Amino acid sequence: MRLSLLSTLLLVLSLNACAQATFPYSTENKKAIKLFEQAQQAPTAQRNPHTGAPNYDAGILLLDQALAKDSNFWEAALLKAEFLDYERKYADAAKYYQKALNIDPSHSISGSTYFYLAACLITIGEYEEALKNINRFLQNPNAKENLVNQAYQMRACAEFSINAMAQPVEFKPVNAGEGINTILPEYYPTLTVDGQVLLFTRRLPMSEPLDEQEDFYVSQFDEKTKTWKPAKAMPPNINTTWNEGAPTISGDGKKIIFVACTDNSGVNYGANRTGKGSCDLFITEKIGNQWTNPINLPGAVNTANWETQPSLSADGKTLYFIRAIRSREGRSNSDIYVSQLQNNGLWSEAIRLSNTVNTNQNEESVQIHPDGKTLYFASRGHVGLGGSDLFVSQLNEQGQWSKPINLGYPINTRFDENSLLVSAQGNIAFFASDREGGYGKLDIYWFNLPEALQATQTFYFEGLAFDALTTQKLQANVQLTDLTSGKEVYNGQTDIQDGKIVLPLPIDRSYAVLVNKQGYLPFSLNFDLTLKENAQSYHLDMPLNPISSRVENVLNNVFFDLAKATLRPESRVELLNLANYLKANASLKIEVQGHTDSQGDAQKNMLLSEQRAKAVYDFLLKEGIAAERISYRGYGSKNPVITDAQIAALASEAEKAAAHQKNRRTTYTIMP
């Protein structure tokens, strides 16, 4: 890992260390001077013939000889420090920056050597010493203006690191096990909302012309053994001989968006794949047991720039990803962008997140938590322990992101941290690491995320649509609405084979469910998703009555004010759905029916039930349903779902109250 500022400061380092000196040199040893001047030219004169990279080792060898002639030749010590800096040998570089200062503390009028020394010290985790040296630089009245802002950032990083290490957060990483990890690198994990399927990237050895390439593997969680089963490769239409990487899987496990890049031509993405340049995002969908051939993500997300590391929101409508834009100078800066899925099935033009989240350094490895408002990401530009640190930011009701919070030490260290994945429950996090004790190279680990860093705990909702008469599983449209906010949180299809839909939902909220399928009557229900001990999911059966049936259909999401016939606003969604259904089935006639429980005055109950039925009748008339197709009737307590005798036999008052509530309902039946 590198200090986030280091890539910038290296650009301003001069290969000619003597530019800071006042000639003649600090040594009179002519052999030392000659060796020094040869060392200045050696890196570019002896470039690597394969890569074109400067040969700094050749220069360092000459500088060692110069220092052997005169150990107090500070210009040679400084140039050796710079060459070691370029080679990312930061501990050795710091040693020679310090040596140059020990020989002559005032050799640099601007004090820049203190700056470069501090940068190396932060990179190797020597925060106390780094802070001392950066303060020396900032106290210099001649400090270089182009380094001062970076110096303040470095000081903030050093101060933060000292405090973070003095107050470590709890962190006990556990290897995910041999079902997932091998001697090969495994990284970029992504998880279905039920926590049962883990998809990740594995880097595989290849023969020429490619030495390595990336493929996707998937593992199922074994509830009995509490371990991950041996991972299996994705099918060959997904995994190719090209690189596939950084996947995000939808909450229900039915869609995968991933990154694919071109070969050296900059055009070829592999068989049957086309792109817009560099690395693009592709999508595949699971239909039954088969994954479709990946296509370039429809819409305006992909560009000629580098798009990578996608993260799909729980409802499948919002996509966060990383875009890197290369500057004229050849440098690239990567930021977090967001795109919305439009009604026409295309993804909108992406918008860069605000500077609260993005910096002038690289952001990467983004995850939007299933709660839809908690963003985890890696950054080199925010205050941290050096290099790439992990951060969390929250989206408020006004659509603004909070100031990112560093996850702290030892989750973050002086090394690079990224690829964080937080479970729907919010308390478990996965990441990739090459720490000691693993199976080899990068392994996937998990740990308990400190409570202060957790997202909103999210259950997963599992709905099952089926024919109420035959129990045949059905593909149907499901619409979920948050009853508190009135916002639609999901609108999609159940699986064509198993009739299921799985998606995460924040807890402690009330939801309305509407299910529609051609040839069947609409189904509705509402439920409170409250936290129950050891529970992680809410299962809902969604039986659909064939249009020919004459059974009672309950309008579960029609609500009235207490003891009144006034429709509450949250009833509108279901009643509009019923009106649209009647418009689409013009031959149907219905009777709207009001029901009460047996509590209270029977005559008043009968009147209230009729008034409530009429309120629904009036609503449908206003929506254009002809009066001859609708009738209404109040039944009072004549047709209970649960009889008084059954209610009396219930054990608790809470159960009895729920039973009475079930009897208070608004329904409709199909009329001949």
Side-chain angles (χ1 to χ4, degrees):
M1 186 187 70
R2 305 290 170 256
L3 171 67
S4 61
L5 302 166
L6 194 56
S7 60
T8 300
L9 71 88
L10 286 177
L11 294 171
V12 300
L13 281 173
S14 170
L15 285 177
N16 185 356
C18 295
Q20 302 184 54
T22 300
F23 292 95
Y25 293 110
S26 62
T27 182
E28 295 181 357
N29 190 305
K30 293 182 179 180
K31 291 184 178 180
I33 292 172
K34 183 176 180 180
L35 290 165
F36 173 80
E37 291 178 344
Q38 290 174 343
Q40 288 179 293
Q41 306 301 322
T44 53
Q46 302 180 39
R47 290 181 181 273
N48 186 305
H50 301 291
T51 66
N55 186 351
Y56 295 112
D57 284 339
I60 290 171
L61 181 62
L62 291 166
L63 292 168
D64 284 339
Q65 296 175 33
L67 287 168
K69 301 294 183 184
D70 186 346
S71 61
N72 290 321
F73 190 5
W74 67 260
E75 293 93 338
L78 184 58
L79 185 57
K80 181 176 179 180
E82 291 181 1
F83 285 175
L84 290 166
D85 220 335
Y86 277 116
E87 289 191 327
R88 300 184 178 183
K89 297 176 180 178
Y90 301 113
D92 290 337
K95 176 181 175 182
Y96 279 90
Y97 281 130
Q98 187 64 64
K99 179 178 176 65
L101 288 167
N102 290 342
I103 297 170
D104 184 358
S106 61
H107 69 259
S108 171
I109 296 174
S110 68
S112 297
T113 303
Y114 289 108
F115 176 92
Y116 301 136
L117 171 58
C120 289
L121 290 170
I122 287 182
T123 305
I124 63 176
E126 297 290 340
Y127 303 114
E128 295 277 5
E129 286 300 313
L131 186 58
K132 292 177 184 177
N133 283 282
I134 205 61
N135 282 332
R136 289 181 183 126
F137 170 75
L138 288 171
Q139 290 165 5
N140 189 320
N142 300 311
K144 288 184 177 179
E145 186 176 347
N146 65 325
L147 299 182
V148 169
N149 287 337
Q150 297 177 55
Y152 281 118
Q153 176 81 351
M154 286 169 57
R155 184 165 72 178
C157 288
E159 291 173 341
F160 171 82
S161 301
I162 292 167
N163 292 330
M165 294 182 72
Q167 304 175 62
V169 298
E170 185 176 353
F171 180 59
K172 297 178 180 178
V174 178
N175 193 288
E178 61 184 358
I180 292 174
N181 295 315
T182 66
I183 60 172
L184 300 171
E186 285 86 21
Y187 46 96
Y188 281 130
T190 182
L191 192 68
T192 54
V193 69
D194 59 7
Q196 298 299 299
V197 178
L198 186 75
L199 177 72
F200 60 92
T201 303
R202 177 176 289 164
R203 193 184 307 146
L204 304 170
M206 293 287 290
S207 58
E208 293 294 331
L210 297 175
D211 294 325
E212 295 179 314
Q213 67 104 11
E214 297 172 319
D215 276 348
F216 295 144
Y217 283 74
V218 63
S219 175
Q220 300 277 342
F221 190 71
D222 190 325
E223 287 289 355
K224 292 183 179 179
T225 63
K226 301 299 179 184
T227 60
W228 292 97
K229 295 179 181 179
K232 297 180 180 179
M234 290 289 285
N237 66 320
I238 308 298
N239 286 338
T240 69
T241 55
W242 305 78
N243 284 330
E244 289 80 29
T248 179
I249 192 167
S250 60
D252 59 3
K254 304 297 185 183
K255 296 179 182 178
I256 297 173
I257 298 176
F258 65 94
V259 183
C261 301
T262 65
D263 60 9
N264 292 333
S265 71
V267 177
N268 194 346
Y269 287 84
N272 301 316
R273 294 182 189 175
T274 59
K276 297 183 179 179
S278 190
C279 294
D280 275 8
L281 302 184
F282 289 77
I283 185 169
T284 176
E285 298 187 43
K286 190 176 185 181
I287 300 177
N289 293 320
Q290 301 294 319
W291 288 95
T292 61
N293 290 332
I295 61 171
N296 198 276
L297 190 67
V301 166
N302 290 319
T303 67
N305 294 300
W306 184 54
E307 282 83 29
T308 187
Q309 298 168 16
S311 179
L312 189 63
S313 65
D315 62 5
K317 294 182 179 180
T318 306
L319 181 69
Y320 294 82
F321 66 96
I322 301 297
R323 175 179 289 164
I325 299 176
R326 189 169 295 278
S327 68
R328 293 180 179 178
E329 293 78 19
R331 292 173 289 168
S332 62
N333 179 47
S334 59
D335 287 327
I336 301 171
Y337 285 73
V338 62
S339 174
Q340 304 293 332
L341 182 62
Q342 302 169 114
N343 292 334
N344 60 5
L346 302 179
W347 289 92
S348 69
E349 186 172 341
I351 298 173
R352 179 182 178 274
L353 295 196
S354 71
N355 289 338
T356 302
V357 173
N358 287 313
T359 68
N360 60 0
Q361 300 293 322
N362 285 344
E363 276 67 47
E364 55 191 12
S365 185
V366 62
Q367 185 215 355
I368 184 65
H369 186 265
D371 70 2
K373 62 182 181 182
T374 306
L375 196 74
Y376 295 95
F377 64 99
S379 174
R380 297 177 182 272
H382 291 287
V383 172
L385 286 95
S388 176
D389 274 13
L390 296 169
F391 296 85
V392 59
S393 177
Q394 296 280 343
L395 186 67
N396 64 21
E397 294 293 332
Q398 292 73 43
Q400 299 170 326
W401 291 101
S402 65
K403 182 180 179 180
I405 297 173
N406 190 294
L407 298 195
Y409 175 85
I411 297 175
N412 288 320
T413 67
R414 66 185 181 88
F415 301 103
D416 275 337
E417 277 78 38
N418 55 35
S419 304
L420 188 76
L421 169 73
V422 179
S423 67
Q425 288 70 41
N427 59 334
I428 301 295
F430 294 81
F431 72 107
S433 174
D434 61 355
R435 62 187 59 236
E436 293 182 2
Y439 290 84
K441 299 184 178 179
L442 283 170
D443 278 1
I444 293 173
Y445 290 77
W446 65 268
F447 66 97
N448 290 309
L449 192 65
E451 186 174 353
L453 303 172
Q454 293 179 14
T456 302
Q457 184 172 6
T458 304
F459 276 17
Y460 72 90
F461 167 82
E462 181 183 75
L464 176 63
F466 57 93
D467 187 303
L469 300 182
T470 67
T471 70
Q472 178 185 352
K473 307 300 187 295
L474 299 174
Q475 184 179 43
N477 182 262
V478 179
Q479 179 183 0
L480 272 84
T481 303
D482 185 322
L483 286 174
T484 303
S485 66
K487 293 181 179 179
E488 183 182 278
V489 296
Y490 181 81
N491 194 329
Q493 299 282 320
T494 58
D495 187 80
I496 193 171
Q497 284 198 331
D498 61 22
K500 287 184 179 180
I501 186 171
V502 179
L503 68 151
L505 292 175
I507 63 172
D508 299 329
R509 289 181 178 270
S510 297
Y511 296 93
V513 183
L514 285 175
V515 186
N516 290 281
K517 180 174 177 60
Q518 187 174 2
Y520 289 83
L521 298 171
F523 170 87
S524 69
L525 196 66
N526 63 79
F527 62 94
D528 294 326
L529 191 57
T530 55
L531 180 61
K532 296 180 180 179
E533 188 174 359
N534 298 323
Q536 294 185 352
S537 64
Y538 184 95
H539 178 85
L540 177 66
D541 283 338
M542 302 180 297
L544 298 178
N545 292 312
I547 199 169
S548 59
S549 67
R550 296 294 182 264
V551 298
E552 174 183 276
N553 297 279
V554 183
L555 297 169
N556 281 298
N557 298 321
V558 170
F559 307 98
F560 295 93
D561 289 340
L562 182 64
K564 295 181 181 179
T566 306
L567 284 166
R568 283 166 33 194
E570 53 264 44
S571 305
R572 183 174 176 81
V573 173
E574 175 144 15
L575 291 179
L576 283 175
N577 185 68
L578 178 58
N580 290 332
Y581 182 81
L582 291 172
K583 291 175 184 178
N585 296 273
S587 63
L588 289 183
K589 296 181 180 180
I590 66 169
E591 179 184 79
V592 180
Q593 304 160 341
H595 303 270
T596 69
D597 60 19
S598 61
Q599 296 175 307
D601 182 81
Q603 187 173 356
K604 289 182 178 179
N605 282 341
M606 181 64 74
L607 178 61
L608 179 62
S609 67
E610 184 173 348
Q611 290 173 336
R612 287 182 168 179
K614 186 177 186 302
V616 173
Y617 169 85
D618 290 339
F619 183 98
L620 295 174
L621 288 181
K622 290 180 180 179
E623 290 300 317
I625 307 302
E628 58 267 22
R629 297 181 59 197
I630 326 169
S631 60
Y632 67 91
R633 184 178 176 184
Y635 287 85
S637 60
K638 290 182 178 180
N639 298 325
V641 177
I642 306 173
T643 66
D644 284 350
Q646 291 172 321
I647 293 175
L650 295 174
S652 69
E653 291 301 317
E655 290 175 310
K656 293 177 181 179
H660 281 298
Q661 177 63 44
K662 198 166 186 179
N663 285 334
R664 299 191 293 269
R665 67 200 189 280
T666 304
T667 66
Y668 70 92
T669 57
I670 305 298
M671 302 302 289

